[in-house]
Amino acid sequence: MADGTARREKALDDPPPRLLGPPPLLPRGAGRTLLAVEGLTRRFPGAGLSAVNGVSLSLREGELLALVGPSGCGKTTTLRMIGGFEPPDSGRVVFDGRDVTADPPERRGFGFVFQDYALFPHLSVLDNVRFGLRGLSRAAGRARAAEMLALVGLSDHGKRMPHALSGGQQQRVALARTLATEPRLVLLDEPFSNLDAARRVETRQEVRSLLRQAGSAAILVTHDQEEALALADRVAVMEAGRLAQIGAPDTVYRNPCDCFVASFLSRATILPGEARGRVVETPIGALALAQPAFGPIRVAIRPEQIALALDGHGSGRILAREYRGHDQFYQVRLRDRTVGVISAEPEPLPVGVRVSIAVRGAVSRVADDR
Ligand code: ADP
Ligand code: MG
């Protein structure tokens, strides 16, 4: 996106929303299962493979779950089945103890926030937020809508038309409209992908706080693993229609269950090795193993686990460098292997130089290799 656009957006924007007191330490009703999805499967007519294949997961009251995976892995289809927009071939959706699989979306009472905001262009910001509140009297609807606009920091924008808002502001209005009805579950599909990088980070933190305050549980679909790890209470990683792993961000990041999850979440290098308890012999040397194992296995080394040092006699050579500002991602050739390394050293190393490497901490087993 052009710089000019980003600056214009910035100039139009308000300060971040004022939050009404600190978010509760624990979400309302925390611990109770709110949603259970069991064996959801969907194969589109004419397709060889199922777009979604036996996905099961559950969500606690007030919990934020990120559904993450590469493009085309079935995230949107899963979310649409949970929301009632797409009929599953098999499987069930149970909400608050009730089987809602056959219910249309409006009977489920979930909130939705999609990528394109879907504000009504001919209605003012306030009327957009009021739209979902048709059950209330006119005065009560206006009061509630004004309260929600205050919550997302847009009190002064109620009379504006949607086109006169920046992307980030439009997304906040869409969220205000959704949260106005106090849904117990909000489904969000790539809600930040139309925002530029700077706005995306800010907006996603705001959205997280707002969900927390409303006490709503949410499933957030994203292809961005950083976003998933940064925002969610738990992360569910999908690959080719199936759920590969689900767990707390730290758990799935540090203990990926297979090569796919390791590569997708952290750009880990996968190496074969021979395990002998707490040590594994790999083509780049003996490494410490997080969990004891024996025999031929595959291990994942996260790129930030590797330290590089400029060393004319080192056994590694820098093949390529991706400059990322706050750090660099290097590809380092070491014996007959290439390893990925993230380094935040203030002086970036040039391509072609010799380096020595050290692996910090333990590596995790991601597959057996028999
Ligand atoms: P994601 O959201 O993870 O990018 P989707 O759920 O949109 O993935 O799609 C999963 C797979 O299903 C893809 O191969 C996609 O092309 C296919 N697909 C999605 N929607 C339809 C549809 N309405 N008809 C046929 N194929 C579809
Ligand atoms: Mg999608």
Side-chain angles (χ1 to χ4, degrees):
M1 189 167 292
D3 277 347
T5 315
R7 269 200 298 279
R8 265 201 311 284
E9 270 209 1
K10 198 77 203 155
L12 266 176
D13 277 343
D14 287 343
R18 268 173 302 109
L19 299 176
L20 309 177
L25 287 178
L26 282 174
R28 146 184 101 189
R32 263 187 78 236
T33 298
L34 182 67
L35 175 80
V37 170
E38 298 164 7
L40 276 190
T41 298
R42 175 72 173 139
R43 191 161 105 194
F44 289 106
L49 295 172
S50 297
V52 176
N53 194 353
V55 166
S56 299
L57 54 86
S58 65
L59 193 69
R60 291 187 290 273
E61 196 99 47
E63 187 180 27
L64 176 52
L65 177 78
L67 194 56
V68 67
S71 183
C73 72
K75 304 179 298 294
T76 293
T77 306
T78 301
L79 203 71
R80 285 173 54 82
M81 287 193 283
I82 295 171
F85 297 100
E86 187 75 52
D89 296 332
S90 57
R92 299 202 306 158
V93 179
V94 178
F95 181 70
D96 206 14
R98 197 169 66 84
D99 188 331
V100 298
T101 318
D103 288 0
E106 61 276 12
R107 283 199 51 199
R108 301 186 186 200
F110 305 162
F112 305 101
V113 181
F114 295 126
Q115 193 171 332
D116 53 7
Y117 321 135
L119 297 181
F120 299 111
H122 60 290
L123 294 183
S124 71
V125 163
L126 189 78
D127 287 342
N128 261 283
V129 179
R130 273 179 59 201
F131 187 82
L133 301 169
R134 281 161 299 178
L136 297 182
S137 71
R138 195 178 157 77
R142 286 187 75 86
R144 175 83 182 135
E147 187 189 331
M148 291 313 298
L149 282 181
L151 193 65
V152 298
L154 292 172
S155 288
D156 299 339
H157 293 61
K159 290 204 175 73
R160 284 211 197 166
M161 300 306 279
H163 68 83
L165 300 181
S166 69
Q169 291 172 328
Q170 288 186 36
Q171 191 57 286
R172 273 143 67 182
V173 175
L175 192 75
R177 186 178 60 184
T178 300
L179 293 180
T181 59
E182 301 188 308
R184 291 168 71 196
L185 174 63
V186 182
L187 305 178
L188 305 103
D189 193 355
E190 307 267 5
F192 313 119
S193 54
N194 284 350
L195 307 177
D196 62 72
R199 290 297 298 158
R200 197 157 63 224
V201 171
E202 209 171 297
T203 306
R204 73 192 189 197
Q205 291 302 342
E206 291 166 10
V207 165
R208 185 177 199 268
S209 309
L210 291 169
L211 288 167
R212 280 274 190 265
Q213 271 184 58
S216 301
I219 301 180
L220 168 81
V221 159
T222 175
H223 63 274
D224 180 338
Q225 71 280 21
E226 255 180 56
E227 187 163 288
L229 292 168
L231 286 189
D233 298 313
R234 278 188 309 152
V235 173
V237 186
M238 279 188 82
E239 179 198 16
R242 72 184 182 101
L243 197 62
Q245 189 171 7
I246 182 165
D250 188 50
T251 308
V252 289
Y253 187 81
R254 295 170 70 95
N255 301 303
C257 68
D258 62 20
C259 300
F260 168 80
V261 174
S263 310
F264 181 76
L265 283 186
S266 71
R267 299 177 83 172
T269 298
I270 311 294
L271 292 177
E274 184 71 26
R276 290 191 192 88
R278 284 281 186 177
V279 174
V280 57
E281 202 63 52
T282 75
I284 67 163
L287 304 174
L289 252 185
Q291 302 290 335
F294 293 90
I297 59 170
R298 279 176 188 266
V299 294
I301 311 175
R302 299 190 307 278
E304 72 278 8
Q305 280 192 279
I306 303 178
L308 293 181
L310 196 58
D311 178 352
H313 303 290
S315 53
R317 184 183 292 281
I318 295 188
L319 283 185
R321 187 183 81 185
E322 196 178 294
Y323 185 71
R324 299 166 9 128
H326 44 73
D327 55 26
Q328 349 297 323
F329 183 82
Y330 297 100
Q331 285 179 291
V332 180
R333 192 74 184 165
L334 199 64
R335 307 201 188 143
D336 60 340
R337 301 283 158 168
T338 302
V339 297
V341 180
I342 287 177
S343 166
E345 288 301 313
E347 283 296 321
L349 297 167
V351 171
V353 297
R354 297 209 77 88
V355 290
S356 58
I357 74 153
V359 176
R360 294 179 290 211
V363 298
S364 44
R365 179 181 68 161
V366 285
D368 286 323
D369 216 2
R370 289 169 219 288

